[in-house]
Each structure stands twice: as structure tokens, then as C-alpha cells.
């Protein structure tokens, strides 16, 4: 019998049933406390990464968790590479592609049937005009030639006797003519056989290179069979198709240069040799043939990028193309002035290879940032990498961030440990001289036309479609360049 009453039993049952609930509450409190500590650690890590903690030596710190010196007081700034604005001639280029061809390239064929008894050359050998390439067996022709020579001697003797008999009026004129015809026929057969005998020696038609040997030793060949292919590489030709609208920019003798993948960075001089007088109906293009100086390195069949000079600006203001900021709608560069990056809007003119003409916005002698400009904004402290011998105390341990900045990429911590300002190279929104997104013009991701303009500009700067998509995704994720699209 229980000593407790019915009410006590009910209270004990409620207490027992409430224990699991209390345990759950206590466990939730412990978990919440742990998450709070982790958040504090993360916040402290952000401050330490931003330069506020004692591990960084104090100082003014790096606002927004940016690079050393981005907020001033903690370091020398972002390491960059610069190039001087110079004056030089720059050309307006009409660019196209073509395949190199040889001016002289022929197949050498057999002129007589017989086995190949001698091969004198191999593929790649240089030959002179009239040089021996191969020899066909000539023994049978030489035997026939000896027989014909005997027949000629006999025909000559008969003709001479007939001539004497005719003068003595022993034979008629008709008989004399018959002996003369037999003598001339035998002589002609000798000449024909000598020609056939000459065909047994396969000769080079001109100076050039043997680019193909299509016959083997002791192989029996028929008349007309291809034996060799000989090509003359000087000069080489490069036919290209020029749009009808650009025909007025082309003239005979116009200078050009070619580049090929086999010799990156090398330019091969060329000039316009022929302009076809007819516009092709289907494509609306004109065939233009260029003569190319191959310098002993170019080969027929090479694919070439052709650059036709249609105009030239002398003593123009020129900068490297890589100084242009890709993630900007307009044409923008950053100039390093007194250790600070200054944003400049520029107007561009002709571009040639890796250089571009600046019509306005820059002066000769100024220094534009060519590596690291994607990690700075207006007013960001920066220093020229070449002038720095080693890392400063504030930069030790930041090798990965500095390398990323020099390579034109923001560090891994940017935009993750110091707030929104770090996403634009360490400048906080609203900083003097800056603009949202690190000084770039805003891009409305909901406006397809604006996005296409950015893509078109990136294509002009030499980026592939995959690189463009990767940059746009990164810009969206980092909040660079404007307003993110609505989800």
C-alpha cells in the first residue's frame, strides 16, 4: 500500500515526465553558449585579420578586414605593379586570319614507266633546280638506242649511195627521196629515244624543299605517277578574306605582319601582293593575297593571325592594355600618385597587340597600375612591388593575400571577415572619392543590356567567354560593380 495519496502520485508522474523537457532546455542553453563563443572567436578572428588585435601590432588597423594599409596606419598599402605612360607610334589594324601557302609547289611525276633504281633525296632535303631526285631503270632504253644508232648508220649509207646513183642517173628521184625519208626517220627515232632516256632521271623543277616522297626504292612506276612534292618557301603567300566594307582600306604594297602559334611573340613582316577584283557573292568578301617573309621558320599550312596596318598615329600616348580595369563599364585605369591609387576615366583610340592609345585622361610620365588594379579603389594606399625588397612587419604572414593582390585577385579573406567594405579592395562604402562597389560604375544585374555591355568590353580586352562568365559570377558574389539581381 502506497504511503502517498492519489494527488502525490500524480505530481510525481508529472515531475518524471518533465525531466526530459528540462534536459532538452539545458542542452539547448549549452549549445547556444558554445555558438556564442564561436561567434566571438569568429568576430575576434575578423578583428585580428583586419589588424585590430594585439597579434598584428595594433596601430590604426585595416578597416573592413582589407589589405595592410588599406585603411591607413597599419602598413604601406596594397602591392601593385605599374607601367609608365609613354609616347610612340601606334597603328590601326584590320585583323583577320589565313593559312600560309607556297608560291611555287608542284608534284613531280614519272614521265616514263620503269622501276626506281636510285633515290637521291628524302623529305626535308633542299634541292636545286635541275638536281637529281631519283633515277628510273634505263637499261632497256639504252639498248634500244644502240639498235637505233645502227639503223641510222645503215640508213645514212643507203642514202649516200642513192645520192651517187641519182647523180649518175641510175635511179629515179622517187627512189632517192625514199632513202632520204628512211634516214630522217631513223634519226628522229634516236632523238625520241634520247628524250625518253632523259626522263629516267627525275629532276627538281626549281629551288626548294622536298616536302613529300611518294615512291619507294625498286618500286615499279607508271607514266604520270606522283613521285615527289617540291615546294619553295620563299616567298610564302597568305590569302585572306576581307569584308567588302573594308576594301577601301586596302591597297597594293600595304604593310602587315603575321603571328603564328609556333612562334608566340614573334612578328613576321608581310605586304599586300594581290587584290582580287571580284567580290564573292555568297560571303560579300574580297580575296587579298599577302606575300610573307618566312625567315626560314614559317611553313605552308600554318594558321596565321593577320594584322593589316590601315593607318598610323605618330607620337601617340600609349599604355599597356592590361592597365584597363575589366570590371568597369567605362574605360578606366588607376594611376599611382604619392602612394595612393587614383581612378581615371580615359578615352581610347587605336589598339595594337598589347598596347592601346589614350586620347584623353592621361599624360606621358604618369604611372598606371597594370597588376593589382582589381584590388584597389579611389584613394586606396598602394606601393610599387618592384620598389619593395621584403615584407614589412605589418605584412608578415600575409603572403597569400599579397600574392593574390599582385595577381589581380582579391584575397580569400576579403569580403568574408571584415564586412562589406572589404569586398571592394578594403574601401568601405561611402569613402571619399569612392563609389559603391569599389569605385566602379554600378551594374544593374537585372538589366540584360547593361550586362551585355560589360561582356562586350571584356571581350575587347581579350577575355574568353568562360573567363567572362567566371568574372561576372565573382562580381555578383562579391558585390562588385553594382546592384545584385533580385532573386
Amino acid at each position: 500500500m502506497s504511503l502517498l495519496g492519489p494527488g502525490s502520485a500524480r505530481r510525481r508522474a508529472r515531475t518524471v515526465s518533465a525531466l526530459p523537457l528540462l534536459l532538452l532546455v539545458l542542452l539547448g542553453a549549452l549549445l547556444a553558449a558554445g555558438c556564442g563563443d564561436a561567434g566571438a572567436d569568429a568576430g575576434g578572428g575578423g578583428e585580428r585579420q583586419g589588424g585590430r588585435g594585439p597579434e598584428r601590432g595594433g596601430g590604426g588597423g585595416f578597416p573592413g578586414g582589407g589589405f595592410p594599409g588599406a585603411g591607413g596606419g597599419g602598413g604601406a598599402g596594397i602591392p601593385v605593379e605599374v607601367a609608365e605612360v609613354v609616347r610612340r607610334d601606334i597603328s590601326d589594324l584590320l585583323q583577320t586570319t589565313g593559312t600560309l601557302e607556297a608560291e611555287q609547289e608542284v608534284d613531280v611525276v614519272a614521265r616514263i614507266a620503269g622501276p626506281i633504281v636510285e633515290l637521291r633525296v628524302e623529305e626535308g632535303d633542299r634541292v636545286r633546280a635541275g638536281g637529281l631526285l631519283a633515277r628510273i631503270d634505263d637499261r632497256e632504253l639504252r639498248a634500244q638506242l644502240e639498235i637505233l644508232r645502227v639503223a641510222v648508220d645503215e640508213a645514212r649509207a643507203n642514202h649516200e649511195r642513192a645520192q651517187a646513183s641519182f647523180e649518175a642517173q641510175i635511179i629515179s628521184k622517187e627512189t632517192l627521196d625514199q632513202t632520204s625519208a628512211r634516214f630522217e626517220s631513223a634519226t628522229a627515232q634516236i632523238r625520241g629515244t634520247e628524250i625518253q632516256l632523259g626522263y629516267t632521271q627525275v629532276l627538281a623543277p626549281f629551288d626548294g624543299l622536298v616536302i613529300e616522297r611518294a615512291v619507294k626504292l625498286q618500286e615499279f612506276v607508271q607514266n604520270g605517277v606522283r613521285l615527289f612534292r617540291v615546294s619553295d618557301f620563299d616567298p610564302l603567300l597568305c590569302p585572306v578574306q576581307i569584308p567588302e566594307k573594308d576594301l577601301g582600306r586596302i591597297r597594293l604594297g600595304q604593310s602587315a605582319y603575321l603571328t603564328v602559334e609556333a612562334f608566340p611573340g614573334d612578328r613576321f613582316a608581310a605586304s599586300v601582293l594581290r587584290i582580287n577584283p571580284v567580290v564573292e557573292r555568297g560571303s560579300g568578301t574580297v580575296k587579298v593575297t599577302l606575300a610573307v617573309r618566312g625567315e626560314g621558320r614559317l611553313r605552308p599550312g600554318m594558321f596565321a593571325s593577320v594584322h593589316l596596318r590601315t593607318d598610323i598615329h605618330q607620337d601617340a600616348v600609349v599604355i599597356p592594355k592590361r592597365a584597363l580595369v575589366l570590371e568597369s563599364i567605362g574605360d578606366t585605369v588607376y594611376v599611382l600618385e604619392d602612394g595612393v591609387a587614383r581612378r581615371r576615366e580615359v578615352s581610347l583610340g587605336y589598339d595594337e597587340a598589347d598596347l592601346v592609345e589614350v586620347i584623353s585622361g592621361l599624360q606621358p610620365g604618369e604611372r598606371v597600375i597594370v597588376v593589382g588594379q582589381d584590388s584597389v579603389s579611389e584613394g586606396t594606399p598602394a606601393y610599387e612591388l618592384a620598389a619593395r625588397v621584403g615584407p614589412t612587419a605589418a605584412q608578415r604572414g600575409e603572403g597569400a593575400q599579397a600574392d593574390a593582390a599582385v595577381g589581380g585577385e582579391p584575397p580569400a579573406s576579403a569580403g568574408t571577415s571584415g564586412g562589406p567594405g572589404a569586398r571592394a579592395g578594403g574601401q568601405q562604402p561611402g569613402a571619399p572619392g569612392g563609389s559603391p562597389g569599389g569605385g566602379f560604375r554600378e551594374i544593374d544585374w537585372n538589366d540584360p543590356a547593361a550586362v551585355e555591355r560589360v561582356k562586350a568590353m571584356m571581350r575587347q580586352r581579350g577575355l574568353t567567354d568562360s573567363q567572362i562568365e567566371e568574372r561576372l559570377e565573382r562580381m555578383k558574389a562579391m558585390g562588385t560593380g553594382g546592384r545584385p539581381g533580385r532573386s
Side-chain angles (χ1 to χ4, degrees):
M1 180 175 177
S2 174
L3 298 177
L4 299 175
S8 299
R10 285 194 296 273
R11 285 194 297 272
R12 184 178 61 182
R14 284 197 299 270
T15 301
V16 173
S17 62
L19 284 176
L21 181 60
L22 291 174
L23 290 175
L24 289 175
V25 171
L26 288 174
L27 181 60
L30 290 174
L31 290 176
C35 292
D37 292 340
D41 290 341
E47 290 185 351
R48 289 193 295 272
Q49 203 163 8
R52 300 182 186 276
E55 292 126 346
R56 294 306 231 193
F62 313 138
F67 295 108
I78 294 178
V80 295
E81 290 185 13
V82 300
E84 185 176 351
V85 181
V86 298
R87 286 190 177 274
R88 56 157 286 177
D89 296 348
I90 190 167
S91 301
D92 182 25
L93 300 176
L94 180 60
Q95 301 184 26
T96 183
T97 58
T99 302
L100 297 180
E101 299 176 357
E103 171 76 348
Q104 297 186 85
E105 185 171 304
V106 298
D107 290 331
V108 180
V109 300
R111 303 291 297 275
I112 190 172
I116 300 294
V117 295
E118 185 179 4
L119 287 174
R120 286 288 188 91
V121 296
E122 287 293 341
E123 294 177 355
D125 289 348
R126 183 169 293 279
V127 295
R128 294 290 184 181
L132 182 63
L133 305 179
R135 189 166 59 85
I136 300 174
D137 189 5
D138 60 356
R139 291 175 296 176
E140 183 177 351
L141 286 174
R142 289 187 181 278
Q144 292 179 8
L145 187 60
E146 291 300 324
I147 294 173
L148 289 174
R149 284 173 179 165
V150 172
V152 166
D153 291 341
E154 181 180 359
R156 181 185 297 108
N158 290 335
H159 178 62
E160 291 175 354
R161 285 194 296 268
Q163 183 69 32
S165 298
F166 176 75
E167 292 175 356
Q169 297 183 350
I170 298 174
I171 61 174
S172 64
K173 182 68 168 60
E174 181 181 358
T175 302
L176 177 63
D177 291 342
Q178 289 175 354
T179 59
S180 176
R182 283 194 290 269
F183 172 65
E184 292 177 358
S185 176
T187 304
Q189 287 181 9
I190 280 188
R191 288 196 297 268
T193 304
E194 288 175 342
I195 293 174
Q196 294 290 317
L197 187 62
Y199 289 158
T200 61
Q201 295 189 3
V202 182
L203 307 179
F206 47 77
D207 294 352
L209 288 174
V210 178
I211 62 175
E212 183 181 2
R213 175 173 67 85
V215 67
K216 300 177 182 178
L217 190 63
Q218 297 300 331
E219 180 180 353
F220 190 92
V221 297
Q222 297 290 343
N223 187 5
V225 170
R226 182 164 63 93
L227 306 179
F228 299 94
R229 189 169 183 82
V230 179
S231 179
D232 183 10
F233 290 3
D234 189 20
L236 287 173
L237 304 182
C238 185
V240 297
Q241 299 294 328
I242 301 298
E244 179 184 357
K245 64 182 179 63
D246 294 322
L247 184 58
R249 303 167 64 186
I250 306 300
R251 63 187 182 277
L252 291 176
Q254 184 173 345
S255 64
Y257 69 87
L258 275 66
T259 58
V260 296
E261 291 185 356
F263 304 101
D266 292 350
R267 297 182 179 183
F268 298 90
S271 60
V272 176
L273 180 65
R274 294 189 290 266
I275 301 176
N276 195 297
V278 177
V279 177
E280 296 183 6
R281 294 183 179 180
S283 61
T285 59
V286 178
K287 180 181 177 182
V288 176
T289 303
L290 289 84
V292 185
R293 290 190 289 273
E295 303 175 6
R297 295 187 292 171
L298 298 184
R299 299 287 186 268
M302 280 185 170
F303 183 79
S305 296
V306 181
H307 307 263
L308 283 157
R309 292 188 176 93
T310 60
D311 191 15
I312 186 169
H313 282 175
Q314 297 180 345
D315 201 31
V317 178
V318 174
I319 62 172
K321 282 184 181 178
R322 58 195 182 119
L324 298 172
V325 179
L326 293 176
E327 292 155 348
S328 174
I329 297 179
D331 294 319
T332 306
V333 299
Y334 280 96
V335 178
L336 187 61
E337 294 181 351
D338 300 326
V340 175
R342 298 298 182 189
R343 185 173 182 267
R344 296 278 187 89
E345 296 284 342
V346 294
S347 298
L348 304 181
Y350 292 165
D351 66 276
E352 178 181 357
D354 57 348
L355 300 176
V356 62
E357 176 189 14
V358 177
I359 299 176
S360 64
L362 291 173
Q363 295 297 325
E366 292 186 300
R367 299 185 303 161
V368 293
I369 299 176
V370 295
V371 175
Q373 67 269 41
D374 292 341
S375 299
V376 301
S377 57
E378 173 67 25
T380 301
Y383 68 87
E384 184 177 355
L385 185 64
R388 180 73 61 178
V389 176
T392 62
Q395 293 166 337
R396 291 193 181 99
E398 302 248 346
Q401 292 179 337
D403 290 344
V406 172
E409 299 290 344
S413 61
T416 59
S417 62
R423 292 196 297 268
Q427 178 155 340
Q428 296 180 356
S435 60
F440 301 121
R441 297 181 184 178
E442 287 194 355
I443 303 172
D444 187 355
W445 300 108
N446 297 308
D447 184 0
V451 176
E452 283 302 320
R453 284 196 298 271
V454 175
K455 289 183 178 181
M457 180 163 294
M458 289 185 176
R459 290 190 189 97
Q460 292 177 358
R461 308 281 166 79
L463 269 69
T464 63
D465 289 341
S466 59
Q467 291 172 333
I468 291 173
E469 294 300 329
E470 180 181 352
R471 274 188 179 271
L472 292 179
E473 290 299 324
R474 189 184 67 191
M475 291 167 64
K476 288 181 182 179
M478 295 173 61
T480 302
R483 303 184 294 272
R486 290 186 290 270
S487 57

